[in-house]
Amino acid sequence: MLDESLLDDPEALARADRRGLLRGAAEAGARVRTAARHAAEAGIAELKPDGRPRAVLIAGAGTAATGVADLIGALAGASAPVVRLHPTGVAPAAGALRWALPGWAGSLDLLFVITTDGGEPGLDLLAEQAYRRGCTIVAITPQRSPLAEGVGGRHGLVVPLATPPYEVYEGFEEAVPAGPGALWALFTPLLALLDRIGLLEAPPEALSRVADRLDRTAERCGPAIATYSNPAKTLAAELADSLPLIWTEGTGAAPAGRRFAAVLAELAGRPAFAAELPEALPAHGVLLAGDFAAGADPDDFFRDRVEEQQALRARVVLLRDRPAGGLTAAPAARELALGHDTAISELEPEEGSELESLAELLAITDFAAVYLALATPATPS
């Protein structure tokens, strides 16, 4: 069960946060600025592309790489297909993972190799295979890593990974797979490059506004802000002892919702389901009427539950990034949920560009997942 008293105790949160997750979430804006500077120093602004690639391939391991590929695919839209290369292997370890190019990949395609580790032999082999096929290769990886040395020079372009702007904690691993900082360190250079080749719009001034929006959201969601006025703490408290059904509406909200489900599982040990409206309504409707319904097991209301584990009850989390006055399935979603006595949490970003709205949704949900992880005693943190 969630220890709600911990949410309003900044010192206790700091003691519980042995992986530096809150600090990583708070400094997401700084990571964007550092990553944008690294991209500029690597020469992305001076690139003169001959045209758009036929396809964008993305390879990397972990929740951050998966989220980046999903985000890029949503933002690029129909400009070019975005394909994530899924690893294979006998274990989720750097030395065991392998990636392979599709048979059609060649000189018309762009390969992004993204990693917070840089020591995966499988990514080195993939880069070598892509070089032989004539693919354009860009790697975002820690400086002086084996991957950086292998790709640098004649094989492709290397953008150094933006590291945290602070001394890391003892025992803290920079490659926390679902950590908020890792996402932005990998995502920002890709935005800069894809803007340069015309697949999406993310000029330097847009990235600066994204960093500012992340800073403002961090101020609203920080550990010193009380739960009643903190959207991330409020969401974490609402999700206590619940099965989150994350329903999304809008281009940016969809990958943000899928990432939220992933970090809830990886950081907080909490199962969650994400789906896009309006398809979410029939897909998740049975969960509102079955064993996870709010009114499930009514005949056993008076049973003593002190010694029993609390049953999960469905709660809808509605993430939207489109204007409320547009065509929307939100009223139908609310009607379905409330018709089954299921509570709803809603998040809609402030006005701004698509990237700014996306950044705000990602920041609030990342903070919420971190708070849920830190304030749940059964979850190691």
Side-chain angles (χ1 to χ4, degrees):
M1 296 179 64
L2 185 78
D3 182 359
E4 293 194 35
S5 65
L6 188 67
L7 292 178
D8 287 325
D9 188 340
E11 293 183 1
L13 284 171
R15 288 193 299 270
D17 190 14
R18 295 191 294 271
R19 290 181 289 177
L21 296 174
L22 275 176
R23 197 164 188 174
E27 294 178 342
R31 291 291 279 273
V32 169
R33 295 185 184 92
T34 302
R37 186 176 69 252
H38 286 183
E41 292 171 351
I44 285 180
E46 285 73 42
L47 292 177
K48 296 180 180 179
D50 294 329
R52 294 182 177 181
R54 176 179 58 181
V56 176
L57 309 173
I58 301 179
T63 302
T66 300
V68 167
D70 197 8
L71 290 164
I72 292 296
L75 293 173
S79 299
V82 176
V83 179
R84 184 187 176 226
L85 304 182
H86 295 271
T88 59
V90 298
L97 298 176
R98 293 293 181 269
W99 290 260
L101 287 175
W104 48 262
S107 58
L108 299 178
D109 305 309
L110 170 62
L111 170 65
F112 286 122
V113 183
I114 58 177
T115 173
T116 58
D117 185 323
E120 301 95 337
L123 290 178
D124 277 327
L125 295 173
L126 175 69
E128 183 63 35
Q129 181 187 15
Y131 175 70
R132 292 196 302 268
R133 296 262 203 104
C135 297
T136 301
I137 307 168
V138 178
I140 294 90
T141 181
Q143 282 185 311
R144 294 181 294 277
S145 66
L147 180 62
E149 295 174 0
V151 174
R154 67 188 183 96
H155 280 191
L157 176 68
V158 174
V159 180
L161 184 76
T163 54
Y166 55 85
E167 291 293 328
V168 298
Y169 300 115
E170 181 181 356
F172 170 71
E173 297 181 1
E174 172 54 25
V176 173
L183 177 82
W184 290 104
L186 297 173
F187 187 33
T188 305
L190 269 62
L191 289 174
L193 181 57
L194 293 178
D195 171 77
R196 188 62 183 166
I197 63 179
L199 287 187
L200 49 79
E201 293 187 10
E205 57 271 20
L207 295 180
S208 178
R209 290 194 296 271
V210 166
D212 291 341
R213 178 68 69 96
L214 289 170
D215 286 344
R216 292 198 300 273
T217 307
E219 291 176 0
R220 296 166 53 208
C221 298
I225 306 301
T227 299
Y228 67 86
S229 59
N230 185 319
K233 287 184 179 180
T234 298
L235 181 57
E238 290 172 346
L239 293 182
D241 305 317
S242 74
L243 175 69
L245 304 181
I246 304 167
W247 295 351
T248 64
E249 189 169 58
T251 302
R258 288 188 286 269
R259 172 173 166 81
F260 188 29
V263 295
L264 281 173
E266 194 159 336
L267 296 183
R270 179 65 57 88
F273 298 97
E276 299 179 45
L277 292 174
E279 290 89 347
L281 304 184
H284 290 172
V286 68
L287 294 174
L288 303 181
D291 292 340
F292 298 104
D297 200 16
D299 296 333
D300 214 11
F301 179 80
F302 295 103
R303 186 179 70 246
D304 183 3
R305 292 175 169 81
V306 173
E307 300 299 328
E308 298 183 10
Q309 184 175 357
Q310 180 70 33
L312 294 180
R313 296 291 178 242
R315 184 183 186 97
V316 171
V317 180
L318 184 58
L319 302 185
R320 306 175 64 212
D321 67 351
R322 63 176 55 178
L327 183 65
T328 174
R334 298 186 188 102
E335 181 179 359
L336 178 64
L338 296 177
H340 289 86
D341 296 322
T342 300
I344 303 179
S345 302
E346 297 194 35
L347 286 180
E348 187 170 338
E350 299 174 358
E351 293 185 6
S353 69
E354 185 177 32
L355 277 177
E356 291 174 82
S357 298
L358 176 59
E360 183 174 335
L361 288 177
L362 287 170
I364 294 175
T365 52
D366 274 347
F367 265 105
V370 170
Y371 283 128
L372 199 57
L374 297 181
T376 304
T379 301
S381 54

